[in-house]
Amino acid sequence: MDMERGAPGAARVRSRWLLETRSGRRLPGGDAVVAVLVAGDQALQDEVARVAAAAGVEIPVALDIPDALALVPDVLLLGSGHLRFLTEQGGPWRALVAAGAVPAGSGKPEVIVVSLAEDTTVWDAAAGSSAGRVAVLPAAAGWLAGFLGRRRSLSGGTVLGVLGGGGAGASTVACWLSANAAETGQSVLLLEGDAWGTGLEWALGAAELEGIRWPDLEGLSGSLNPVQLAAGLPALAGFSLLGRGTGIPPADEVVAAAVVDAARSGYQLTIVDLGRTVGAASLLRFCDQMLLVVPGRTGGVLGAQALLPHLGEVPAHVVVRGPLGNGLDEVLVAEALGLPLSGYLPFQRGTGREYGQVLAGAGRPRVRRVSQRILATVLPPPVGAAS
């Protein structure tokens, strides 16, 4: 089937791109290929590009399905006009593997049919194919962006959100986890996502450090080089910090997507301090895992319960902070919330939110031990980490 190929220059760029990536799942910048689009409709291409920006992924447009499969994507996005290719039920895939165009053992991508609302034939076309899902845009843009964002998380670093329930000290926990994760040899970035707290730079004593803050990234419209980001950030206690300076974390999802995407590529672990600002969905929606930090008191449990509906599909664990209320322990708190327990952190004197004091508790043996246990429950084993 003929498709709209665009300008000759664009076709040559795409062809070179494909030739350089035949050996598997890498784009010119080195990023894994999450999804490839095959569609000749420019309006549909533009709509998918908006979804890609919101999800923080790059979705190349392939000339045809064989070229798309040669990139070995996790997800193949198909316009409805290309569905007849799937009716052969795997024959084309086997032929591509045999010809060396697709790495053997890479597995078939998940197929999602994409269309605009004006396409009234999409459901009938999809019903006769092996496609797994249909996304009619723009109505399904939010779902598709979330789906692609989660698939992106399967490659690159992990993004861990830390959310507080009722004065639990989520920022303190985020700082402790960052310092203790860095001790194991992981590359760690701590992102400030709490617009209403006292500020991570104050707690960490990092206000005078030179480097990039959130306001410096305002208006960012394209991708962000992870090497340049890491080089420009202030660092302390073995981890990098993106604080808010005199501004606030972004509400713009394009900026958030660019920063988190660069963080995934540049760091093994990115910890997002969300405070209690569940309204900061521009960062919450990019998290792969969530830690809900809850005071071990009845009021803390009730406050945390109010947050649960805002977590969406992000897998969540509970961290209980001491002191414990009468008749409560960490197990009962987790059971009341219906979430798995990651750990209990007792109250620590001398680690208040005065300037530069928060890290005083990170090196205490019990805090270090519990922090490592918490990280082990929510993260994959880090590559190259110290044992």
Side-chain angles (χ1 to χ4, degrees):
M1 175 179 292
D2 292 335
M3 62 180 294
E4 194 174 309
R5 291 179 179 264
R12 284 195 296 271
V13 168
R14 291 194 191 104
S15 297
R16 187 185 71 231
W17 207 354
L18 290 168
L19 288 172
E20 291 176 352
T21 56
R22 293 268 176 190
S23 59
R25 305 182 67 171
R26 292 285 161 185
L27 297 178
D31 295 331
V33 181
V34 174
V36 177
L37 171 67
V38 182
D41 185 339
Q42 186 62 52
L44 180 57
Q45 292 181 15
D46 293 343
E47 198 65 43
V48 171
R50 282 189 281 272
V51 170
V57 300
E58 189 168 5
I59 301 179
V61 179
L63 302 179
D64 51 35
I65 290 178
D67 280 345
L69 294 178
L71 285 171
V72 198
D74 288 329
V75 180
L76 180 62
L77 302 176
L78 285 185
S80 60
H82 296 271
L83 283 172
R84 66 184 185 188
F85 183 89
L86 301 180
T87 60
E88 296 182 43
Q89 297 295 329
W93 180 266
R94 288 194 296 271
L96 286 167
V97 171
V102 178
S106 57
K108 294 183 184 180
E110 183 160 1
V111 178
I112 298 178
V113 180
V114 289
S115 74
L116 299 176
E118 296 80 12
D119 183 359
T120 58
T121 66
V122 61
W123 293 104
D124 288 340
S129 74
S130 58
R133 293 179 171 88
V134 175
V136 179
L137 303 174
W143 171 84
L144 184 57
F147 177 85
L148 294 175
R150 289 191 294 274
R151 293 304 293 258
R152 176 195 58 198
S153 72
L154 298 177
S155 59
T158 299
V159 179
L160 174 65
V162 181
L163 183 64
S171 296
T172 297
V173 172
C175 293
W176 287 352
L177 292 176
S178 297
N180 282 291
E183 269 197 355
T184 69
Q186 294 187 77
S187 56
V188 180
L189 170 61
L190 176 58
L191 290 183
E192 181 158 19
D194 185 1
W196 312 116
T198 57
L200 287 179
E201 291 172 329
W202 176 264
L204 291 165
E208 304 303 319
L209 294 179
E210 295 290 333
I212 297 170
R213 269 69 174 180
W214 276 116
D216 299 316
L217 301 172
E218 185 177 357
L220 182 69
S221 59
S223 61
L224 184 60
N225 186 303
V227 176
Q228 292 178 339
L229 175 66
L233 291 173
L236 73 166
F239 61 88
S240 300
L241 172 67
L242 179 55
R244 71 183 195 217
T246 57
I248 60 173
D252 187 337
E253 288 201 358
V254 174
V255 175
V259 171
V260 175
D261 195 41
R264 286 185 192 279
S265 298
Y267 294 88
Q268 291 172 294
L269 173 62
T270 300
I271 295 179
V272 185
D273 170 30
L274 294 165
R276 192 180 164 82
T277 57
V278 293
S282 59
L283 290 171
L284 175 63
R285 67 189 299 270
F286 294 111
C287 295
D288 306 317
Q289 297 279 344
M290 183 69 60
L291 287 177
L292 185 56
V293 185
V294 184
R297 300 178 293 279
T298 301
V301 174
L302 294 175
Q305 286 175 335
L307 296 176
L308 294 178
H310 298 278
L311 300 184
E313 298 181 3
V314 180
H317 290 69
V318 173
V319 174
V320 179
R321 290 291 309 275
L324 295 169
N326 291 334
L328 284 179
D329 60 32
E330 62 270 28
V331 175
L332 289 175
V333 171
E335 288 178 348
L337 296 171
L339 295 173
L341 176 67
S342 275
Y344 169 69
L345 284 166
F347 175 74
Q348 298 284 313
R349 296 186 182 278
T351 59
R353 291 298 296 267
E354 298 301 324
Y355 185 77
Q357 284 191 4
V358 73
L359 285 180
R364 295 183 179 181
R366 187 168 185 182
V367 172
R368 180 186 286 115
R369 186 168 56 251
V370 176
S371 294
Q372 299 299 343
R373 187 181 308 134
I374 291 169
L375 291 167
T377 63
V378 296
L379 302 177
V383 177
S387 56

